[in-house]
Structures are given as structure tokens and as C-alpha cells.
């Protein structure tokens, strides 16, 4: 089954294809869409609506995700991609995160992934997945992307960037959100719950 995915992020796309192997994952860049919602769900909906308008009768989805650090009041949050400013710069983001956590003992954090889904009949739904862990004192590992070298999931002593892709996907925010997506698609249609959440 084909599913259109609103992203230009090759890393996300690779993970989505790994987690949904039964689907033909087709990227469609939601270029020009302004992601100015203050929630992951809101931004995911804006993105999926932009591409669903081009693919009537098909499954479409968008992932909006980021890192929330307890001691920073949930930052970088929805600004994760551009934490250190525009244009998005992963090294600068990670360096700023470490700087802002210098001397901070409470390093608890979680990744959140919201996936907005539009079914072939146009119904919308949003699901979320979270992965809890802590921010390391220094980066380690070369796998993954974004903040992966700094994020150590609970129950592990290695960062996301030190885990094999299957290990990360089995416990990650994206893996958890996409397991719900898979269940929704297998049920035949979305639940149609998204609009109130998006408008509210
Ligand atoms: P988005 O494309 O607006 O959803 O931005 C997502 C940003 O959150 C990415 O650019 C990363 O900085 C961060 N992020 C989201 N998911 C992950 C992940 O799985 N690993 C590391 N960083 C992530």
C-alpha cells in the first residue's frame, strides 16, 4: 500500500520506511508550509493537510517531532530543528543544548513524535509516541540524526546514535507513534478525531 509522507527530511523518511516495511513510502515535500503551531500535533496537521490536497483518495501522513528537556521547561520542543537559529544546524543545536545544561543535574528529557494521518476518505487523525531518557554530558555515536548522540533512552547506557536502527526504532517516539498509525490503517480508516485537537 502506498502512503505519501510530508517531509524533506531524509533521516525521518528512512526511519519511517524501516518502521512501516509493508508500505511504499512516497515523500512529498510540504514546501512553503509554515510550521508555527505551538504543538507537535498542530504542526503535523498543517503539513499533512498541505500534501493531502494533492493526493485525494490516498493515505497521507506527516511527522512532527522534537526533544523536550524537563530542566529547560520543555525546550527545545517544537523549535527542535531550529533551536540555535536559522537555518537548521544540528551541530549548533547540540552544542547549545549542552551549553544550556552546563552544571544542570536534572537531565531528564523525552522525544515526542506526533503523526497526523489522512485516510483515503479524507478523515484525519493524530497519534503521538514518546520516548523518555536523559541528556548525556557529551555526544557519542554516529548513527541516527539530530539530537541522537546526546539522548540516552531509559534502561540503556548508550545514546540513540550508538544503537542499531532496529534497536532505536523498537523503542523510539517515532516507532511508538507509527505502531499506532499501522493499527489505524489496518482498521481501515482514521478515527476522525483530529479537527478538534487542531482547532483547539
Ligand atoms: P521537524 O522536522 O520540524 O519535525 O523537526 C524535528 C527536529 O527534532 C529534528 O530536526 C531533530 O532536531 C529533532 N528530532 C526529531 N526526531 C528526532 C530523532 O529521532 N532523533 C534526533 N533528533 C530528532
Amino acid at each position: 500500500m502506498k502512503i505519501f509522507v510530508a517531509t524533506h527530511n531524509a533521516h525521518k523518511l528512512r526511519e519511517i520506511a524501516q518502521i512501516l516495511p509493508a508500505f511504499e513510502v512516497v515523500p512529498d515535500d510540504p514546501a512553503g508550509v509554515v510550521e508555527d503551531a505551538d504543538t507537535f500535533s498542530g504542526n503535523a496537521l498543517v503539513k499533512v493537510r498541505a500534501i493531502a490536497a494533492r493526493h485525494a483518495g490516498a493515505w497521507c501522513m506527516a511527522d512532527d517531532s522534537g526533544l523536550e528537556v524537563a530542566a529547560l521547561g520543555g525546550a527545545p520542543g517544537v523549535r527542535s530543528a531550529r533551536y540555535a537559529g536559522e537555518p537548521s544546524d544540528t551541530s549548533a543545536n547540540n552544542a547549545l543544548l549542552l551549553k544550556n545544561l552546563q552544571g544542570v543535574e536534572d537531565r531528564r528529557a523525552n522525544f515526542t513524535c506526533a503523526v497526523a494521518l489522512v485516510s483515503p476518505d479524507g478523515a484525519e487523525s493524530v497519534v503521538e509516541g514518546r520516548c523518555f531518557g536523559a541528556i548525556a554530558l557529551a555526544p557519542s555515536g554516529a548513527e541516527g540524526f539530530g539530537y541522537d548522540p546526546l539522548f540516552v533512552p531509559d534502561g540503556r547506557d548508550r545514546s540513540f546514535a550508538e544503537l542499531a536502527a532496529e534497536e532505536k526504532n523498537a523503542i523510539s517516539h517515532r516507532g511508538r507513534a507509527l505502531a499506532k498509525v499501522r493499527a489505524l490503517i489496518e482498521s481501515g480508516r482514521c478515527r476522525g478525531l483530529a479537527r478538534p485537537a487542531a482547532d483547539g
Side-chain angles (χ1 to χ4, degrees), residues 37-121:
D38 55 8
T39 60
F40 296 112
S41 299
N43 283 328
L45 270 168
V46 173
K47 288 189 274 191
V48 80
R49 286 174 182 161
I51 70 157
R54 296 195 275 265
H55 304 293
W59 286 100
C60 295
M61 58 162 271
D63 157 322
D64 200 74
S65 45
L67 180 69
E68 299 172 299
V69 179
L72 300 178
V78 291
R79 293 203 38 80
S80 289
R82 288 164 285 278
Y83 189 39
E86 305 265 8
S88 179
D89 178 336
T90 296
S91 306
N93 289 340
N94 287 6
L96 180 61
L97 180 61
L98 283 180
K99 179 168 169 271
N100 289 343
L101 285 177
Q102 237 164 28
V104 176
E105 252 179 55
D106 176 5
R107 304 183 77 88
R108 286 172 303 142
N110 68 272
F111 274 117
T112 295
C113 174
V115 177
L117 189 64
V118 177
S119 67
D121 64 3

Side-chain angles (χ1 to χ4, degrees), residues 111-137:
F111 274 117
T112 295
C113 174
V115 177
L117 189 64
V118 177
S119 67
D121 64 3
E124 296 176 334
S125 192
V126 183
V127 295
E128 288 194 349
R130 284 191 180 73
C131 180
F132 291 86
I135 303 302
L137 295 172

Side-chain angles (χ1 to χ4, degrees), residues 59 117 119-125 183-192:
W59 286 100
L117 189 64
S119 67
D121 64 3
E124 296 176 334
S125 192
L184 270 178
I185 292 178
E186 281 165 10
S187 80
R189 63 186 302 279
C190 295
R191 289 170 301 172

Side-chain angles (χ1 to χ4, degrees), residues 144-167:
F145 69 103
Y147 299 94
D148 280 351
L150 290 177
F151 183 80
V152 179
D154 285 348
R156 307 286 170 124
D157 54 8
R158 291 175 297 155
S159 76
F160 261 177
E162 293 178 288
L163 301 183
E166 315 80 66
E167 288 180 274

